[in-house]
Amino acid sequence: ATKVDALVMGAKSLEELLFPRSLNPLPQVRFTERPDVVAAHLYEGHIIILTDTTPMAMIVPVTLFHFTQHAEEYLQAPAVGTYLRWVRSLALFLALFLTPLWLALFQQKQSLPQFLHFIGPRQSSTVPVALQFLILEVGLDLIRMALIHTPGSLATSLGIVGAILLGDLAVQVGLFVPETILYTAVVAICSFAIPSIEFSLAIRLFRYFLLLAAAFFRLPGLLVGSVVVLVFIAQTNSLGVPYMWPLLPL
């Protein structure tokens, strides 16, 4: 039993008590505000934890694949729902690997086959390409946080200024190349396609790690870094359930 004076942050405080925080960024519970999602998980054998005054439920145990599910898929025909699930899974893959893979291939462009020679910027810049990706990642987080604290009437204008105007000016003055902005924008869209914000932020941290691995050690560094991320995810569990079940263990 856990004895506390208060749960100041509601369900989030209870989550920290039940699942102590560590350096692992992967969420071990899933939050939802939809009664139909709670009922579906109860039917599948999950445990639902309700906290007084908190308008959301905690679902445990969970795996990696639960964070790619959305109720929208179950409201459509099976073929449509399967298509949406595959698109969301593709978005998860691109959010993790697109920019590190492009960076690793660009740094070894001379050894690429002819059909991959389109990879790489068409113009030079004053900032190294690897540093451009890191700056753009942080810049997107700054824009996202700024939009959260901006009144609704000004949020659209701030988004246009931050995402379009600043990016275009950065290319014109030679700080960035268009390719890095393009691929970072694609990664941002793919990240927003992931239903769970907690899981999306964990994927972002893993992408930082892969970017640094690709920047310092090129393609071999990306391959080793990908194995490290895969092993890290495979070692995670939620109430004893492996995070990659039923893929691992088979």
Side-chain angles (χ1 to χ4, degrees):
T2 300
K3 296 183 179 180
V4 292
D5 295 330
L7 296 176
V8 180
M9 300 298 294
K12 293 299 293 184
S13 296
L14 183 59
E15 177 197 4
E16 293 184 2
L17 292 173
L18 298 178
F19 304 91
R21 293 294 184 180
S22 64
L23 295 179
N24 190 342
L26 293 169
Q28 296 177 300
V29 304
R30 181 184 178 187
F31 291 96
T32 183
E33 298 177 354
R34 298 183 57 130
D36 54 349
V37 173
V38 170
H41 282 80
L42 277 175
Y43 186 75
E44 294 174 357
H46 293 260
I47 300 172
I48 306 300
I49 302 175
L50 300 176
T51 308
D52 191 22
T53 72
T54 300
M56 57 185 177
M58 281 194 297
I59 303 173
V60 291
V62 291
T63 67
L64 178 149
F65 303 102
H66 287 102
F67 295 102
T68 63
Q69 295 177 357
H70 194 274
E72 175 191 12
E73 302 161 3
Y74 298 94
L75 301 178
Q76 306 293 339
V80 177
T82 302
Y83 165 73
L84 294 176
R85 176 71 61 83
W86 279 105
V87 170
R88 189 170 289 112
S89 299
L90 176 62
L92 172 61
F93 178 83
L94 293 177
L96 181 59
F97 290 108
L98 179 60
T99 50
L101 180 60
W102 186 90
L103 177 61
L105 293 178
F106 159 66
Q107 291 184 326
Q108 295 193 182
K109 186 175 182 178
Q110 67 280 359
S111 59
L112 295 179
Q114 186 65 34
F115 68 92
L116 289 178
H117 279 188
F118 70 92
I119 294 178
R122 302 292 184 272
Q123 60 194 60
S124 60
S125 62
T126 56
V127 179
V129 174
L131 184 58
Q132 290 182 37
F133 278 122
L134 295 176
I135 294 176
L136 289 171
E137 291 280 0
V138 176
L140 281 177
D141 277 334
L142 289 175
I143 293 175
R144 181 177 60 86
M145 290 186 288
L147 290 175
I148 293 175
H149 301 291
T150 302
S153 58
L154 300 177
T156 302
S157 301
L158 178 61
I160 294 175
V161 171
I164 299 178
L165 191 58
L166 290 180
D168 183 61
L169 291 175
V171 171
Q172 291 184 18
V173 300
L175 292 178
F176 298 114
V177 294
E179 286 86 350
T180 57
I181 296 180
L182 169 64
Y183 291 114
T184 303
V186 172
V187 165
I189 294 174
C190 293
S191 298
F192 291 135
I194 301 175
S196 170
I197 183 64
E198 295 92 350
F199 188 72
S200 177
L201 292 175
I203 292 298
R204 176 167 305 203
L205 293 182
F206 287 139
R207 187 169 66 249
Y208 282 154
F209 171 73
L210 294 179
L211 277 171
L212 293 174
F216 287 106
F217 305 105
R218 303 189 176 187
L219 193 56
L222 176 61
L223 295 176
V224 174
S226 300
V227 172
V228 171
V229 170
L230 180 62
V231 171
F232 190 88
I233 296 176
Q235 292 293 324
T236 304
N237 67 81
S238 175
L239 285 185
V241 177
Y243 214 70
M244 295 190 69
W245 185 87
L247 290 183
L248 293 175
L250 295 174

